[in-house]
Amino acid sequence: MGRGKIEIKKIENLNSRQVTFSKRRSGLLKKAKELSVLCDAEVAVIIFSSTGKLYEFSNTSMEHTLSRYSRGLEMDYPQHSSDDLAVEQAQDDVNALKNELAKLRVAYLRMLGKDLEDLSLKELQILEDQMSEGILAVKDKKVLNRYFHLCTQTHIPFPLLLYGCSK
């Protein structure tokens, strides 16, 4: 003979509710363990009582199962559409370009000798070395341009003038 059906509603009597909770919790955890053994399934059960006490079962580690669950949710239900991802990527690109622009502005101002107050002695020395290299490159270019201009006026081939050869 089978058991009679009970109406599923909140048990008003506190003692009866606690006894039922304890028995059903034990039964649920037993069934979870059986399912994991019989079917070689990864099973995790989390239960909080009405008083806030935690009961849990996992045939592996709870952290592993929850991590796997989270990854599964991300794959099954992506939070962002492809349009949202494209907008997010574009915003990231814009922010990266804004940061790069800010760095270039600071470097430009420092090359002009401005905004130097917060630089250390070592940073000032590096800036001076960079500027010296830049000045030398500009002077070299000026010299080459003068030689090229002189070559065009005197009709002496450019490489010969550099080595001191004449017509």
Side-chain angles (χ1 to χ4, degrees):
M1 187 169 169
R3 298 183 183 178
K5 285 195 167 195
I6 63 161
E7 185 181 352
I8 302 296
K9 65 175 187 166
K10 183 177 177 181
I11 300 171
E12 296 301 327
N13 183 299
L14 187 59
N15 288 336
S16 297
R17 187 182 327 142
Q18 187 57 40
V19 169
T20 302
F21 174 79
S22 181
K23 287 181 181 180
R24 288 186 174 245
R25 180 195 71 232
S26 298
L28 180 61
L29 295 177
K30 181 180 177 187
K31 292 286 184 187
K33 184 176 182 180
E34 291 171 359
L35 180 64
S36 71
V37 171
L38 292 172
C39 301
D40 192 31
E42 186 174 345
V43 178
V45 177
I46 301 171
I47 304 169
F48 288 99
S49 71
S50 60
T51 61
K53 188 170 180 184
L54 168 68
Y55 301 91
E56 63 180 87
F57 166 79
S58 178
N59 65 324
T60 60
S61 81
M62 185 61 76
E63 291 79 16
H64 176 267
T65 305
L66 290 174
S67 172
R68 188 171 172 198
Y69 173 74
S70 295
R71 285 193 310 272
L73 279 180
E74 289 171 3
M75 290 185 339
D76 291 343
Y77 305 104
Q79 293 179 350
H80 303 291
S81 69
S82 60
D83 289 342
D84 291 343
L85 291 175
V87 168
E88 226 173 270
Q89 181 62 44
Q91 188 61 47
D92 290 345
D93 292 346
V94 167
N95 290 337
L97 289 171
K98 283 181 179 179
N99 288 338
E100 184 66 23
L101 180 61
K103 288 177 186 176
L104 289 171
R105 280 186 178 147
V106 168
Y108 174 73
L109 288 173
R110 288 182 176 162
M111 289 288 184
L112 293 175
K114 299 177 181 175
D115 197 26
L116 304 175
E117 297 81 24
D118 55 341
L119 292 181
S120 68
L121 185 59
K122 184 177 181 179
E123 291 169 323
L124 288 169
Q125 184 62 49
I126 291 170
L127 180 61
E128 182 183 14
D129 293 344
Q130 290 172 341
M131 292 176 78
S132 294
E133 288 176 22
I135 289 170
L136 288 175
V138 169
K139 286 182 177 180
D140 288 347
K141 182 66 176 167
K142 280 174 55 179
V143 167
L144 285 174
N145 281 349
R146 285 184 185 147
Y147 276 123
F148 181 73
H149 183 68
L150 187 59
C151 285
T152 57
Q153 286 180 342
T154 61
H155 304 291
I156 298 174
F158 182 64
L160 295 177
L161 183 61
L162 282 177
Y163 294 112
C165 299
S166 60
K167 284 187 178 179

